[in-house]
Amino acid sequence: TQLLEQSPQFLSIQEGENLTVYCNSSSVFSSLQWYRQEPGEGPVLLVTVVTGGEVKKLKRLTFQFGDARKDSSLHITAAQPGDTGLYLCAGVSGGTSYGKLTFGQGTILTVHP
Amino acid sequence: DADVTQTPRNRITKTGKRIMLECSQTKGHDRMYWYRQDPGLGLRLIYYSFDVKDINKGEISDGYSVSRQAQAKFSLSLESAIPNQTALYFCATGDFRDELEGYTFGSGTRLTVV
């Protein structure tokens, strides 16, 4: 069974601070995705990283895929209250199970004005 | 209309009752998934289907069954509901023809078993 360990589970910060969320596994994934979920809604895809060592930027969000394709990080610069939500990493399986996602436990981010 | 529609949005049922959660999608994808979400545990896969004739168990399938009635419809049943099945249930679809594409999720069904 492939597992993804996400940390921290909770993050409470002030507006303007920076933060990093980590996602680690002992397994290699075909790719890794980050989702954001708001209360009462399903997760929404933020980004997919595919290549080991890849870095993608989405405005104030920076996503990195580890060289060995087992871990990833999400860094938010100058967090804003609108960033508040649940962030989930998900590993994409390859082979015959291609497309099956394994999710981390999630990080609940609260950004205070 | 939403790409993935789940019904009902909320349901309270009694222990031992059979209940069905329904999901339909308009994305035209072959693959559909049912996940369960509990606080601190992320989303855990219950069942998935890669096409109408292909049904697979996920990591927590005990106590659940599914039916793929058509490409667009995938329903989840709890044969005899128990309180620890109280959770938020999500249906999703995604075919990864583009490796950058993710899942599209429904808005979820909040199920309470009393």
Side-chain angles (χ1 to χ4, degrees):
Chain A
T1 303
Q2 294 178 306
L3 295 174
L4 272 174
E5 295 290 332
Q6 193 171 336
S7 62
Q9 188 173 356
F10 299 97
L11 206 47
S12 180
I13 62 172
Q14 294 297 126
E15 182 175 2
E17 293 183 5
N18 302 331
L19 66 109
T20 302
V21 178
Y22 299 93
C23 185
N24 296 294
S25 175
S26 58
S27 304
V28 175
F29 289 100
S30 174
S31 59
L32 197 134
Q33 301 188 326
W34 286 90
Y35 290 78
R36 181 178 167 210
Q37 183 180 8
E38 303 208 25
E41 298 298 329
V44 175
L45 179 69
L46 293 174
V47 77
T48 302
V49 284
V50 178
T51 306
E54 183 176 4
V55 177
K56 280 191 175 179
K57 292 191 175 183
L58 201 66
K59 298 183 180 178
R60 294 177 293 101
L61 278 60
T62 301
F63 304 85
Q64 186 163 6
F65 200 15
D67 290 341
R69 289 164 47 220
K70 293 181 180 180
D71 55 87
S72 181
S73 63
L74 157 61
H75 182 79
I76 300 179
T77 303
Q80 298 177 359
D83 295 326
T84 293
L86 173 66
Y87 290 82
L88 295 155
C89 64
V92 182
S93 297
T96 55
S97 295
Y98 181 63
K100 189 159 71 77
L101 295 189
T102 301
F103 284 86
Q105 304 97 317
T107 296
I108 298 174
L109 171 64
T110 305
V111 182
H112 301 280
Chain B
D1 289 344
D3 291 329
V4 180
T5 301
Q6 290 184 237
T7 55
R9 287 297 309 271
N10 293 281
R11 181 72 181 268
I12 300 174
T13 191
K14 293 184 177 179
T15 298
K17 292 289 188 182
R18 184 179 190 275
I19 182 170
M20 179 183 290
L21 309 183
E22 299 190 359
C23 176
S24 63
Q25 54 105 350
T26 58
K27 299 284 285 185
H29 292 161
D30 288 327
R31 300 181 178 196
M32 297 186 73
Y33 307 82
W34 274 103
Y35 281 88
R36 168 179 171 159
Q37 187 173 37
D38 298 276
L41 295 177
L43 280 83
R44 293 181 292 165
L45 183 62
I46 307 172
Y47 270 95
Y48 62 104
S49 171
F50 281 178
D51 65 44
V52 175
K53 296 180 181 179
D54 179 70
I55 304 287
N56 302 282
K57 292 182 178 180
E59 58 183 302
I60 55 163
S61 60
D62 287 349
Y64 301 95
S65 63
V66 290
S67 173
R68 186 81 185 266
Q69 299 95 328
Q71 185 202 39
K73 296 184 182 295
F74 192 35
S75 60
L76 175 72
S77 293
L78 284 68
E79 298 303 325
S80 179
I82 56 177
N84 77 358
Q85 291 178 313
T86 292
L88 194 51
Y89 290 85
F90 286 100
C91 174
T93 186
D95 63 11
F96 283 87
R97 290 177 192 175
D98 175 351
E99 66 179 351
L100 299 182
E101 183 178 326
Y103 285 5
T104 301
F105 284 85
S107 296
T109 294
R110 184 169 295 280
L111 177 66
T112 303
V113 183
V114 298

